[in-house]
Amino acid sequence: MRLIILGPPGAGKGTQAARIAEHFGIPAISTGDIFRANIKNGTELGKQVQEITASGGYVSDDITNAIVEDRLAQDDAAEGFLLDGYPRTTGQVAALDAMLAKSDLGLDKVLALTVDEDAVVERLLKRAEIEGRVDDTEDVIRERQAIYRRETAPLVEVYGERGLLVEVDGLGAMDEVTERIVTALS
Ligand code: ADP
């Protein structure tokens, strides 16, 4: 099973990705987590992406694509994966297509979590407080939503045209949403 989960920041992608991945026995691969771990460990990559991630901007496609290609080459991703937070631009869509084509593979489904923007901003402010994500100020959160709308929302249509899109309402209790997703993917 090769899946992508799409949705605006705060749609609950990370939580649902972990659950869906466990359900299907595949690794959940989050580019955001990879970047955060590198920043925390002070790696060269971490230093490169620290400023841009803190401001809410996107890391360059070149850096991001290379990281994903590396990660997908690891053994645990051989039978499938769930990508969370990637692809985020049409350039990344093309890069992922090329990576998969090399191994004659394709995507099974692209899951899009739909949520209301105000609900999402509220959720993110709460998460920033609980998780101590000090970079998640309201300005940064609003900027992230705007960037998502501009750069990533068009991917919903791209995958829709390929007949891969499964849209699920991301509003509601976490368990409810998980159930909706599992049903929609089964
Ligand atoms: P969010 O806070 O929106 O849930 P993530 O945890 O997925 O975001 O990612 C955190 C940050 O890492 C993003 O704001 C962005 O700067 C960077 N990032 C993650 N994935 C990508 C990607 N596919 N392309 C470019 N930048 C990315």
Side-chain angles (χ1 to χ4, degrees):
M1 192 89 151
R2 278 174 283 278
L3 303 171
I4 291 172
I5 184 165
L6 277 178
K13 279 194 313 284
T15 306
Q16 298 302 336
R19 294 177 175 197
I20 301 314
E22 203 193 330
H23 181 88
F24 291 108
I26 51 179
I29 298 173
S30 156
T31 42
D33 282 351
I34 294 172
F35 291 140
R36 272 186 294 275
N38 276 276
I39 291 167
K40 198 169 152 213
N41 295 326
T43 67
E44 207 43 56
L45 170 67
K47 283 176 199 150
Q48 275 180 343
V49 303
Q50 186 155 23
E51 209 171 306
I52 187 79
T53 58
S55 73
Y58 283 176
V59 175
S60 75
D61 281 356
D62 284 352
I63 292 180
T64 310
N65 291 332
I67 277 159
V68 172
E69 182 149 33
D70 240 44
R71 181 62 188 86
L72 291 183
Q74 289 175 27
D75 289 346
D76 67 336
E79 296 302 315
F81 51 76
L82 170 56
L83 286 169
D84 161 18
Y86 181 92
R88 253 179 162 94
T89 65
T90 50
Q92 292 178 13
V93 170
L96 177 62
D97 286 343
M99 285 175 220
L100 293 175
K102 272 189 207 164
S103 321
D104 243 341
L105 298 172
L107 294 166
D108 292 295
K109 292 262 160 54
V110 176
L111 179 75
L113 276 185
T114 58
V115 282
D116 169 77
E117 188 162 324
D118 284 340
V120 145
V121 170
E122 199 180 306
R123 213 192 250 185
L124 281 175
L125 282 169
K126 227 182 266 170
R127 180 178 80 179
E129 202 183 305
I130 294 168
E131 294 183 7
R133 292 192 183 196
V134 287
D135 54 335
D136 283 3
T137 62
E138 181 154 3
D139 279 356
V140 169
I141 287 168
R142 297 240 176 241
E143 175 67 7
R144 284 208 165 105
Q145 298 295 327
I147 295 174
Y148 178 84
R149 243 184 282 122
R150 191 174 68 233
E151 303 280 342
T152 308
L155 273 51
V156 172
E157 200 174 322
V158 169
Y159 287 120
E161 281 166 4
R162 295 187 191 182
L164 294 176
L165 194 68
V166 177
E167 286 189 284
V168 172
D169 182 2
L171 215 67
M174 280 194 289
D175 289 348
E176 236 172 81
V177 177
T178 307
E179 223 176 282
R180 268 180 225 149
I181 296 173
V182 170
T183 304
L185 290 177
S186 302

